[in-house]
Amino acid sequence: MTELSKTGAAVGEPVRAQDAPTAFLEVRDLKVHFPTDDGLVKSVDGLSFQLEKGKTLGIVGESGSGKSVTSLAIMGLHRLGARGKNVRMSGEIWLDGKELVGADPDEVRRLRGRDMAMIFQDPLSAMHPYYKVGSQIVEAYRVHHDVSKKVARKRAIELLDRVGIPEPDKRVDGYPHEFSGGMRQRAMIAMALVNNPELLIADEPTTALDVTVQAQILDLIRDLQKEFGSAVVIITHDLGVVAEIADDILVMYGGRCVERGPVDDIFYEPQHPYTWGLLGSMPRIDRAQTDRLIPVKGQPPSLINVPSGCAFNPRCPYADVPKDNITRTERPELREVGGRHFTACHLSQEDRTRIWTEEIAPKL
Amino acid sequence: MSETDTRAAVPAPRDDDEKPLLKVEGLVKQFPIKKGLLQRQVGAVKAVDGIDFEVRRGETLGVVGESGCGKSTMGRLITRLLEPSGGKIEFDGKDITHLSTGGMRPLRRDIQMIFQDPYGSLNPRHTIGTIVSAPFKLQGVEPEGGVKKEVQRLLELVGLSPEHYNRYPHEFSGGQRQRIGIARALALKPRMVVADEPVSALDVSIQAQVVNLMDDLQDELGLTYVIIAHDLSVVRHVSDRIAVMYLGKIVELADRDSLYAAPMHPYTKALLSAVPVPDPRRRGAKSERILLKGDVPSPIAPPSGCRFHTRCWKATQVCTTVEPPLAELKPGGRVACHHPENFEDQQPQDVVLLTAAKEAGELVPESVRKAGTPTETEVSVEAEVADEADDN
């Protein structure tokens, strides 16, 4: 692992030296950079958050905002094989008192699948097409449990039944291509849950699914979380999904957190202009009003040349409100604006409140 | 069809012509399944299985449904990228059902398509100029002021810079590529544009830009849109009327507002209730949530009678045997159902619920029932279940 020489402004709570955190999952100043021929891609650039057991954190943002890279970093998947040579990671990831960024890869491997598991977006490419679904679940179980194949198979059937697959004792011998999209996603959830992980990361778990199936899967994740008491990180670009399932929301933009807080705060008192933009661009199923959408103008930033100052400034309609051109020169810190609600924006509290209540909220 | 009744709900027709721009009757498309050495046909995927609708001038018709319901096949049939197996397609009074490629060519100016995947629909080896000017070359049209000038005007129209003329598709982001696809579709000033999932591959903020763009272009150029999408929020935003498809059939076709306010087909209702609402405070008030069980049946052997009866909580005996016709039950609302929601029962004598219906009825969780005031559905389900218990 290469230490980053460049520190930049620390985001969020200052990183305390090696003191073990109190939260179940705590990420501190995480940076994941990829050197390429074109330059250094700063996919995640100073991200901090905490998550307690039994709670759900929703991470939202556009493609390329660093959502998935964060989840792969927590799972320790960036440092596998040849790919591991092309990534620079720094910061700390604490899972249940253990630090993962600096840990031995073998140590992380023992945790992966047992203490933390992941559900991927596309179950067809996440499952091996040549192996039976049951065998793949059995393998995931036997890696961490010293049991016979027979016992593991029983466990696989039990899990398939739990995630709502009909006739699990027959489907356990089916191949992934024999399952429909929703069934495959259920099977993958079964695989992720087979070792009762305490942390479950779901990366766009319903994006490839129809709404009716999406509703089934979200209900399933919610039920299972209640049953097992796991911490869940759900990564999505769909604000509807996080509104349904998350306790806390973290909004990412250009590899950083621009706003983080309890779900109600993010939806009813959002503080960051990008969050306003996301809410304004979203067509609403629950509103008859069909005025024009209010899109965020422009394109997401390149992660090689992240705009100086606030990464959002070229697209922000309020970039000129704060004085001295500060939005273009100085990177905003993540500051607390209310109980557990943080935002990284140069706008003053009065300006934000005024813009939100007078300009944004009436149009949503 | 009583067109006059619904006229009010649609923006004023831009043409004096009363006739719809596109009229589809009994449209069928089956893809044969061949097996064995002799490649004998052993069955067929009934992708589109007898649908009727019309698209009025200047309106936007939204088509929604789950994957595999035949909505994309329908889009490719009305643009005649596929040959229909049966039925009739009339564009502007002209029968185009079985026109040859050559016969279709003059009409290609009038019917254009925008595709879902902005990466797959642009040739990576051609410049933007070549891509957007291709329609002029193919049609032998020489626009006023020359092709290059017209292409640059089009690029500006869709919000790109005219300097992009000599660039290649890989130099553009997804949203920009989608704009290029739109510029190409608009090159020949079409009258109808069929857009198959035009924004589903885009990020939310970019999606809003493209939706607004399509909206502006419709106003500016008087376009008629058929927008195929699975995202019910987007469809609500853009459409004047909406057709809901299930397993190759249109189950409901209604004006936007009445469809979203009072869906008549149980499937529509279930579909709407499944959409996550971006409003955390309504999370507790999920009483109207209807969870459909299982997956869509195979279009190779669709269920008898009403195709939705295997997943419907209102299904009765008649639903398994008699296929409900797509009937205009109220002005601007056509539905194919024996026991529609928000309307009087079409088969009131038939009260015996099927097993599937009973299971579906139980799906509404007990806790939710106690929590909020029960909605109409639950009451009716409960009542019907109770009725049935009495009968036994």
Side-chain angles (χ1 to χ4, degrees):
Chain A
M1 198 201 74
T2 327
E3 272 296 327
L4 279 178
S5 48
K6 193 190 155 300
T7 43
V11 171
E13 298 81 346
V15 179
R16 292 151 293 185
Q18 298 303 316
D19 52 342
T22 47
F24 175 66
L25 171 71
E26 180 154 354
V27 172
R28 290 175 186 170
D29 198 30
L30 178 70
K31 291 182 182 170
V32 185
H33 295 179
F34 300 92
T36 66
D37 292 345
D38 297 328
L40 190 64
V41 178
K42 295 175 185 166
S43 291
V44 177
D45 200 23
L47 185 71
S48 306
F49 63 86
Q50 303 98 7
L51 180 61
E52 295 296 344
K53 264 187 158 178
K55 295 283 181 197
T56 303
L57 173 75
I59 301 185
V60 293
E62 291 176 277
S63 18
S65 60
K67 318 186 288 284
S68 294
V69 171
T70 305
S71 65
L72 295 176
I74 298 171
M75 293 290 290
L77 292 173
H78 282 308
R79 294 171 22 207
L80 295 178
R83 280 213 327 220
K85 295 187 180 69
N86 290 322
V87 60
R88 295 186 192 162
M89 270 174 73
S90 73
E92 296 165 55
I93 298 169
W94 290 87
L95 179 74
D96 206 8
K98 287 183 278 281
E99 208 284 313
L100 303 183
V101 174
D104 180 36
D106 285 339
E107 176 92 10
V108 180
R109 183 187 303 142
R110 275 193 289 277
L111 295 174
R112 193 187 309 132
R114 194 185 65 200
D115 289 1
M116 51 185 186
M118 188 151 174
I119 304 169
F120 294 91
Q121 172 174 4
D122 178 5
L124 194 56
S125 53
M127 286 179 130
H128 200 298
Y130 280 10
Y131 291 94
K132 291 171 181 167
V133 169
S135 321
Q136 300 186 45
I137 302 177
V138 163
E139 189 192 347
Y141 191 59
R142 292 188 74 215
V143 165
H144 296 288
H145 293 82
D146 189 16
V147 295
S148 69
K149 281 189 180 163
K150 214 173 150 190
V151 174
R153 186 184 152 89
K154 236 184 104 197
R155 170 85 182 150
I157 295 173
E158 184 189 314
L159 257 294
L160 287 175
D161 187 40
R162 180 62 199 82
V163 298
I165 288 182
E167 300 183 88
D169 46 338
K170 292 207 181 76
R171 300 308 292 252
V172 72
D173 290 320
Y175 289 93
H177 75 266
E178 296 171 322
F179 284 52
S180 69
M183 287 292 155
R184 269 199 292 268
Q185 195 59 287
R186 283 167 191 269
M188 197 155 65
I189 293 176
M191 198 189 299
L193 291 176
V194 73
N195 294 308
N196 287 340
E198 291 172 309
L199 171 66
L200 185 65
I201 299 177
D203 188 355
E204 304 267 11
T206 58
T207 308
L209 306 174
D210 282 315
V211 276
T212 52
V213 184
Q214 166 171 294
Q216 296 169 359
I217 298 288
L218 290 180
D219 275 18
L220 176 65
I221 293 178
R222 205 176 0 227
D223 288 355
L224 294 170
Q225 180 182 30
K226 229 178 257 165
E227 198 176 317
F228 296 104
S230 344
V232 175
V233 176
I234 190 158
I235 292 169
T236 176
H237 65 278
D238 188 337
L239 285 164
V241 169
V242 285
E244 293 246 321
I245 202 166
D247 299 301
D248 283 346
I249 294 180
L250 190 156
V251 183
M252 283 190 81
Y253 188 81
R256 307 183 129 239
C257 169
V258 294
E259 186 162 6
R260 166 159 63 91
V263 62
D264 279 16
D265 287 5
I266 301 289
F267 275 90
Y268 305 118
E269 285 164 37
Q271 298 289 325
H272 197 280
Y274 179 62
T275 316
W276 299 339
L278 284 181
L279 292 168
S281 352
M282 189 177 45
R284 301 282 298 242
I285 188 120
D286 53 335
R287 306 264 167 89
Q289 186 190 0
T290 50
D291 287 349
R292 289 171 66 80
L293 299 172
I294 317 156
V296 186
K297 62 176 191 197
Q299 303 290 331
S302 146
L303 292 170
I304 295 175
N305 288 313
V306 182
S308 62
C310 172
F312 188 58
N313 84 64
R315 303 176 77 189
C316 181
Y318 310 104
D320 292 318
V321 176
K323 269 182 252 162
D324 302 334
N325 214 13
I326 188 170
T327 51
R328 291 181 187 85
T329 52
E330 203 174 301
R331 206 172 233 190
E333 303 279 327
L334 203 58
R335 274 187 297 256
E336 189 155 6
V337 288
R340 296 199 305 115
H341 187 178
F342 299 85
T343 189
C345 181
H346 283 306
L347 288 174
S348 67
Q349 182 68 55
E350 298 80 61
D351 283 339
R352 275 199 303 267
T353 313
R354 180 181 55 78
I355 295 170
W356 166 248
T357 49
E358 288 173 18
E359 293 180 33
I360 310 289
K363 285 196 224 149
L364 290 181
Chain B
M1 299 298 153
S2 57
E3 280 215 50
T4 38
D5 295 340
T6 54
R7 182 55 42 92
V10 179
R14 276 158 245 256
D15 249 317
D16 293 336
D17 203 333
E18 292 288 306
K19 275 192 291 188
L21 185 61
L22 181 84
K23 195 161 188 240
V24 172
E25 278 171 18
L27 188 64
V28 176
K29 178 66 189 178
Q30 302 190 340
F31 296 99
I33 304 165
K34 289 177 179 160
K35 259 201 177 139
L37 189 64
L38 297 172
Q39 290 290 298
R40 266 197 313 179
Q41 188 178 337
V42 292
V45 178
K46 298 172 180 111
V48 171
D49 204 11
I51 56 174
D52 306 88
F53 66 94
E54 70 281 339
V55 184
R56 299 179 195 139
R57 287 162 207 275
E59 79 165 347
T60 301
L61 177 73
V63 182
V64 291
E66 290 174 276
S67 42
C69 71
K71 52 190 197 301
S72 288
T73 306
M74 189 280 293
R76 279 157 194 263
L77 286 171
I78 59 175
T79 46
R80 280 302 319 283
L81 297 175
L82 285 173
E83 177 78 18
S85 313
K88 194 173 168 198
I89 308 167
E90 246 178 52
F91 180 76
D92 203 16
K94 187 177 177 193
D95 186 348
I96 62 164
T97 322
H98 296 295
L99 278 186
S100 62
T101 315
M104 263 313 282
R105 189 153 297 137
L107 284 164
R108 295 265 173 236
R109 288 184 203 185
D110 293 334
I111 309 174
Q112 284 288 331
M113 193 151 180
I114 299 170
F115 295 92
Q116 169 174 11
D117 180 4
Y119 294 83
S121 57
L122 303 178
N123 188 334
R125 289 165 179 271
H126 286 182
T127 62
I128 301 316
T130 319
I131 290 169
V132 180
S133 60
F136 296 116
K137 293 213 182 77
L138 291 170
Q139 290 282 342
V141 177
E142 183 63 35
E144 218 176 304
V147 173
K148 185 167 181 186
K149 206 172 156 210
E150 177 66 9
V151 169
Q152 293 184 330
R153 190 189 69 81
L154 283 164
L155 290 178
E156 238 171 314
L157 183 70
V158 297
L160 294 170
S161 156
E163 285 116 59
H164 291 151
Y165 188 85
N166 284 320
R167 295 215 194 149
Y168 286 90
H170 74 263
E171 297 173 62
F172 294 91
S173 68
Q176 287 175 316
R177 284 169 192 234
Q178 201 58 303
R179 288 167 189 267
I180 296 164
I182 294 172
R184 175 175 60 183
L186 296 179
L188 297 166
K189 302 196 171 64
R191 294 161 69 191
M192 185 173 84
V193 174
V194 178
D196 190 356
E197 303 273 9
V199 295
S200 60
L202 308 174
D203 274 316
V204 195
S205 69
I206 309 298
Q207 177 176 310
Q209 295 174 0
V210 173
V211 165
N212 280 352
L213 172 69
M214 290 181 66
D215 206 15
D216 292 344
L217 292 171
Q218 181 167 41
D219 290 345
E220 217 167 297
L221 308 171
L223 296 171
T224 303
Y225 284 136
V226 176
I227 294 184
I228 299 164
H230 70 277
D231 186 329
L232 288 130
S233 322
V234 171
V235 166
R236 172 170 201 168
H237 190 83
V238 298
S239 310
D240 298 311
R241 290 191 310 147
I242 291 159
V244 182
M245 285 187 73
Y246 185 75
L247 268 182
K249 291 267 185 195
I250 291 180
V251 295
E252 184 163 3
L253 178 59
D255 297 333
R256 176 195 46 213
D257 293 339
S258 67
L259 185 104
Y260 280 85
M264 294 206 285
H265 200 284
Y267 178 62
T268 315
K269 187 165 173 135
L271 211 52
L272 290 178
S273 77
V275 178
V277 177
D279 193 348
R281 274 181 204 153
R282 295 203 9 202
R283 207 190 284 183
K286 267 287 164 215
S287 50
E288 67 268 72
R289 176 75 154 266
I290 301 156
L291 270 189
L292 288 182
K293 257 200 174 173
D295 293 309
V296 184
S298 160
I300 298 171
S304 60
C306 172
R307 291 175 177 206
F308 186 56
H309 83 252
T310 52
R311 301 169 84 194
C312 182
W313 65 95
K314 299 184 94 182
T316 60
Q317 198 54 47
V318 67
C319 302
T320 60
T321 50
V322 183
E323 186 174 329
L326 186 65
E328 181 135 8
L329 293 187
K330 62 182 179 193
R334 274 181 262 168
V335 63
C337 183
H338 293 303
H339 311 289
E341 293 277 327
N342 300 312
F343 200 76
E344 92 192 59
D345 204 323
Q346 300 299 295
Q347 297 282 347
Q349 70 284 7
D350 205 52
V351 288
V352 182
L353 282 175
L354 294 174
T355 342
K358 276 180 242 162
E359 281 172 11
E362 284 158 14
L363 269 173
V364 182
E366 207 58 38
S367 54
V368 173
R369 284 194 195 185
K370 280 179 203 140
T373 41
T375 62
E376 222 172 294
T377 332
E378 286 165 33
V379 171
S380 63
V381 169
E382 275 169 5
E384 281 170 53
V385 171
D387 277 358
E388 206 223 338
D390 291 347
D391 289 350
N392 293 344

